[in-house]
Amino acid sequence: EVEDTAFRHDLLKGMRYGLAGRRNLSAPPSWKKVSAKLGQSLDAGVREEVRLLGLAFGDEAAIKAMRAKVMNAKAPVEERRRALNVLVEKKADGLAGDLKFLLDDNALRLDALRGMAVFGGNDVPGLVLARYANLNDAEKRETVQMLVSRPTYAGALLEALARGIIPRSEVSVFAARQILGFNDEKLNASLREAWGELRPTAVNKKPLFERYRKLLTLENLKKANLSNGRLIFTRTCAACHKLYGEGGQIAPDITGSDRATLDYLLENVLDPNAAIGKDYQLNVVTTKDGRAVSGIISAENDNSLTVQSLTERVVLSKDDLASRKILPVSMMPEGIFLALKDEEVRDLVAYLAGTEQVPLPKEQE
């Protein structure tokens, strides 16, 4: 009954967040009356929140309206994105076909890729790989993460890697580790052949430290291409770490860290499991339909689990979970340097040791 528009908006939004991850909800007895009234609000934000909340209650009219908004290229992009994300979370009927259509929508392609990871489908790998060459860097990272979310998709990824459709440099150590997590010997053999060996770092890491100390001398670092170092950081580290105000928020912001000190850098990169904070332990959650999501747990309640993965924040209903494991390893994988050429390691370390941002290579700008 409160007439305060801002209060109404916040209340509806809070209710929607509180119901995230819950399935088969029944609308309150008064919902039809309340939604009809608030659906006529002069405030667009309130009207949108009413429709989004209606999705949680299985309101067919709300689902139809939200699907129409998502597919309307003239609607505001942020409103389309919010609607799509809620529809994906609720696994709305008919949305799988919409997601395939949205692969050719520049504004929502990234969100469509994330949605396709949820819905699955045997034709998904072929659809995304056919477009891979024309995707931007963020979309390529999302595609790789989506393709390592299911064993059958991982097989398609490795085949594309072997055929040169996806360059080896665009499949991260994190993605390779997730493929190994399926414990499928056929996939492991394909990974070794197409990507390389992801060997556990030896218990005695002294030789490894000595190798990179010899490589990363001050004289050699002076030869580094700092712009290329930034590009490697963007592809290898920026999904988790923020530097100079750019990057992810999964791992610590390293702008103010002691990254100019070589030993500090080597200790954190070569031996990330030496000291693992509880908040940074790797969690692997598998859904009943075979999807694997790896990351850190950012929120949890009686009904849902929120996982911050390498590329997105995933809200999972506990009713959909098949298993959940907390591994005794850091979210940051070992072997990052081993997956790079020596020149790339040099460029990356020199960039990290810098005191100011540098431009990306011209072809990447």
Side-chain angles (χ1 to χ4, degrees):
E1 298 298 329
V2 179
E3 296 296 331
D4 186 324
T5 298
F7 178 82
R8 284 178 169 176
H9 180 273
D10 291 345
L11 181 62
L12 290 166
K13 187 174 183 180
M15 291 173 65
R16 176 164 62 87
Y17 282 175
L19 295 174
R22 298 185 65 176
R23 296 266 186 264
N24 303 317
L25 292 171
S26 298
S30 60
W31 174 248
K32 187 173 182 179
K33 178 181 177 181
V34 171
S35 62
K37 177 181 178 180
L38 296 184
Q40 299 299 315
S41 171
L42 297 177
D43 184 81
V46 169
R47 295 196 304 272
E48 181 187 18
E49 285 298 335
V50 169
R51 288 191 290 268
L52 291 173
L53 187 57
L55 295 180
F57 300 133
D59 185 329
E60 292 298 329
I63 293 172
K64 184 177 180 180
M66 288 292 98
R67 285 186 63 190
K69 173 165 282 189
V70 167
M71 304 306 289
N72 180 6
K74 295 182 179 180
V77 172
E78 283 306 313
E79 290 185 16
R80 296 178 69 204
R81 180 171 290 120
R82 281 193 293 271
L84 177 58
N85 290 340
V86 175
L87 286 166
V88 167
E89 183 185 322
K90 298 303 174 186
K91 294 187 177 180
D93 290 341
L95 190 64
D98 295 347
L99 292 169
K100 294 169 186 177
F101 182 85
L102 291 171
L103 281 178
D104 296 316
D105 186 313
N106 291 336
L108 293 186
R109 185 181 296 114
L110 193 65
D111 302 273
L113 287 165
R114 292 171 177 168
M116 293 175 86
V118 175
F119 279 83
N122 294 332
D123 57 346
V124 167
L127 289 170
V128 297
L129 289 170
R131 295 164 171 78
Y132 189 84
N134 297 318
L135 302 181
N136 62 37
D137 284 348
E139 292 163 350
K140 286 180 176 179
R141 285 193 294 273
E142 193 64 52
T143 296
V144 170
Q145 284 307 119
M146 187 260 281
L147 290 175
V148 298
S149 68
R150 300 172 188 267
T152 54
Y153 289 8
L157 167 69
L158 293 170
E159 183 180 344
L161 193 59
R163 292 168 55 194
I165 295 173
I166 298 180
R168 181 187 182 281
S169 61
E170 293 176 5
V171 178
S172 68
V173 175
F174 188 95
R177 182 172 67 177
Q178 181 143 324
I179 293 174
L180 288 178
F182 291 126
N183 294 316
D184 183 310
E185 186 48 47
K186 185 177 179 181
L187 286 177
N188 293 348
S190 297
L191 179 66
R192 288 191 294 271
E193 184 176 345
W195 187 86
E197 191 83 45
L198 186 62
R199 298 186 182 92
T201 306
V203 175
N204 179 12
K205 296 181 173 63
K206 186 176 179 181
L208 197 62
F209 276 80
E210 290 178 350
R211 175 192 167 189
Y212 284 107
R213 285 194 186 101
K214 289 179 181 178
L215 171 69
L216 301 168
T217 62
L218 289 175
E219 182 179 353
N220 197 23
L221 289 173
K222 289 178 181 178
K223 303 174 185 176
N225 181 331
L226 298 183
S227 291
N228 189 52
R230 180 183 175 186
L231 178 61
I232 295 166
F233 176 85
T234 300
R235 290 175 173 173
T236 308
C237 316
C240 297
H241 290 283
K242 183 173 287 187
L243 180 61
Y244 301 126
E246 299 178 6
Q249 299 183 40
I250 305 173
D253 186 328
I254 59 174
T255 305
S257 67
D258 195 18
R259 55 195 160 81
T261 303
L262 182 61
D263 280 350
Y264 172 86
L265 194 62
L266 293 180
E267 286 168 7
N268 282 276
V269 176
L270 300 181
D271 198 7
N273 299 320
I276 312 169
K278 183 180 179 181
D279 291 342
Y280 297 110
Q281 282 185 293
L282 181 65
N283 288 254
V284 181
V285 180
T286 305
T287 61
K288 292 175 181 176
D289 66 352
R291 180 190 180 198
V293 181
S294 298
I296 58 176
I297 305 302
S298 60
E300 180 175 4
N301 57 39
D302 292 340
N303 304 299
S304 66
L305 190 68
T306 303
V307 183
Q308 179 62 60
S309 75
L310 195 65
T311 56
E312 62 173 322
R313 181 176 174 271
V314 184
V315 180
L316 300 168
S317 170
K318 287 189 173 179
D319 290 339
D320 293 339
L321 303 187
S323 67
R324 173 183 176 184
K325 298 177 183 177
I326 302 176
L327 303 184
V329 296
S330 170
M331 176 80 174
M332 181 172 174
E334 294 191 2
I336 289 176
F337 278 2
L338 296 176
L340 301 174
K341 298 175 182 177
D342 284 353
E343 293 80 6
E344 292 174 327
V345 173
R346 177 200 64 193
D347 293 350
L348 174 60
V349 170
Y351 169 69
L352 288 171
T355 58
E356 59 184 9
Q357 186 61 284
V358 299
L360 285 164
K362 289 184 178 180
E363 63 271 18
Q364 294 293 325
E365 290 179 348

